[in-house]
Amino acid sequence: MDFALVSGNPALDLAGTLQWRRSDPVDLLVDPAALRSWLVQAGVVQDAVRVGPADLSRAVELREALYRLACDRLADREYDEAALGIVNRAAAGPPIEIALTPTGVRRRGDVDAALGEVARSLVVLLGAADAPPIKECGRAACTRLYLDRSRGARRSWCGMEECGNRVKAAAYRARRRAARTS
């Protein structure tokens, strides 16, 4: 399975593995193999880690806590205490092992280290005074969160490939229909 990694932060990308939250939710983390695949595709680890059903449950719980805290930041409200506890416990876990090799950096660790790395990425983001703004995709049904690093913070969609292109195509079709009726 290929995952859309367009959020600019591993924690926000993990939160995006539950799509269309408000309308017809689609969970991309359907089994331990999907989580293992996401960890590798997101670059959290390079080698597939052993993931069991309990690990998947912890990852889903972490995903929802990450999403809640990011939404709290987005809405400028106090952080949810339960979500803080989940994220902080994961962030306190073992570190990812990194090593410089002749071909670049190698990142290894077990699932606890990988989830800790993801949690730490949100802790660092939310704790930074100069962090880019977190936004929600402008496409009506999409609930993906992303960091807006665009000039003037004017980005509207989580990504052009899916949401941006669809919104622009719909606007184009609407303009064409309007031009034909006038």
Side-chain angles (χ1 to χ4, degrees):
M1 172 177 283
D2 285 327
F3 297 93
L5 303 170
V6 296
S7 298
N9 179 281
L12 299 180
D13 281 329
L14 180 60
T17 61
L18 181 61
Q19 299 177 319
W20 323 113
R21 287 172 181 267
R22 285 189 292 273
S23 55
D24 191 18
V26 174
D27 193 343
L28 301 179
L29 296 182
V30 295
D31 57 26
L35 175 58
R36 180 176 33 257
S37 180
W38 183 86
L39 290 169
V40 172
Q41 285 181 38
V44 179
V45 292
Q46 290 167 321
D47 303 322
V49 295
R50 181 175 294 149
V51 179
D55 300 320
L56 178 62
S57 294
R58 281 196 330 278
V60 168
E61 179 184 51
L62 177 61
R63 174 186 69 192
E64 296 310 305
L66 296 166
Y67 183 77
R68 175 62 193 262
L69 294 179
C71 286
D72 288 347
R73 166 61 72 87
L74 183 63
D76 196 28
R77 62 181 176 235
E78 276 191 42
Y79 293 129
D80 179 78
E81 288 293 325
L84 278 174
I86 292 165
V87 170
N88 285 333
R89 276 190 301 280
I96 288 286
E97 174 193 310
I98 61 171
L100 185 59
T101 70
T103 59
V105 176
R106 182 186 69 229
R107 303 173 62 78
R108 291 194 309 203
D110 63 10
V111 70
D112 289 330
L115 293 176
E117 185 79 5
V118 173
R120 285 186 288 276
S121 74
L122 189 74
V123 169
V124 169
L125 173 67
L126 296 182
D130 60 346
I134 297 172
K135 290 187 175 179
E136 184 176 59
C137 183
R139 184 174 171 204
C142 185
T143 56
R144 186 174 287 136
L145 302 173
Y146 63 92
L147 295 180
D148 187 355
R149 291 187 172 109
S150 66
R151 176 176 278 185
R154 294 175 45 180
R155 183 172 160 192
S156 299
W157 306 290
C158 60
M160 279 304 294
E161 281 190 29
E162 186 175 343
C163 291
N165 283 339
R166 288 183 186 208
V167 170
K168 286 184 172 197
Y172 173 76
R173 287 190 301 273
R175 285 193 306 273
R176 298 273 297 174
R177 276 192 304 275
R180 275 187 252 134
T181 58
S182 54

